[in-house]
Amino acid sequence: EWAQRMTEVGEFPNPTVRKNSLKIHERIISLIDAGDAEGVARVARKHLEGSIFYASGDGDMTINADSVR
């Protein structure tokens, strides 16, 4: 939903935010590869909490990071 909405309106996070997000996703993948479930949960939770504005469009949607596996 977020990606489709952003594509339609042409509004994306600035390049610095996108680069930081990519680094976080790479970190999450590394933690998954290492079998570090607690690390994955911790980094994913922090990332999702910080990206709630972009995910919801206006910051009014809550994402439950505990559901990330």
Side-chain angles (χ1 to χ4, degrees), residues 28 38-51 63-68:
I28 291 169
E38 290 180 20
V40 171
R42 182 183 65 255
V43 173
R45 182 176 297 109
K46 184 176 179 182
H47 174 58
L48 291 173
E49 288 170 353
S51 63
I63 297 173
N64 182 356
D66 290 329
S67 65
V68 176

Side-chain angles (χ1 to χ4, degrees), residues 29-58:
I29 291 168
S30 293
L31 291 166
I32 291 169
D33 285 343
D36 185 353
E38 290 180 20
V40 171
R42 182 183 65 255
V43 173
R45 182 176 297 109
K46 184 176 179 182
H47 174 58
L48 291 173
E49 288 170 353
S51 63
I52 189 72
F53 176 79
Y54 295 110
S56 69
D58 58 9

Side-chain angles (χ1 to χ4, degrees), residues 2-5 7 12-13 18 21-22 27-29 34-35 39 44-46 49 51 54 59 61 64-66 68-69:
W2 173 85
Q4 181 178 354
R5 185 172 63 242
T7 299
F12 292 92
R18 292 194 310 259
S21 182
L22 179 59
R27 177 70 177 138
I28 291 169
I29 291 168
R45 182 176 297 109
K46 184 176 179 182
E49 288 170 353
S51 63
Y54 295 110
M61 185 176 87
N64 182 356
D66 290 329
V68 176
R69 297 185 198 269

